[in-house]
Amino acid sequence: MSKKKNQIDVESALCVLTDAGYEPQAFNHYQIRVFSKKRISMYDWYHTTGSLVLTRNGTARSVGTV
């Protein structure tokens, strides 16, 4: 059985983001929500598609794909 494309090790991703100074939270099976330490902005990383969305002051905008 082949592995699905864009599958990641969520626990490792959470550790990397924490070590980088962010406050990540596994939101569901395809999304990691990442807060800055000051909680001024929030990112939603949809790791199954590579999409990154920035939410600041209640407004969301796409940052692109990573």
Side-chain angles (χ1 to χ4, degrees), residues 28-64:
N28 51 43
H29 70 279
Y30 58 88
Q31 176 185 4
I32 295 177
R33 184 159 281 172
V34 183
F35 295 96
S36 64
K37 286 287 185 182
K38 296 179 183 179
R39 296 220 176 218
I40 295 170
S41 58
M42 172 188 73
Y43 293 91
D44 285 318
W45 176 33
Y46 300 93
H47 55 81
T48 54
T49 62
S51 300
L52 187 63
V53 176
L54 168 65
T55 303
R56 184 180 292 161
N57 298 326
T59 304
R61 70 175 177 94
S62 175
V63 178

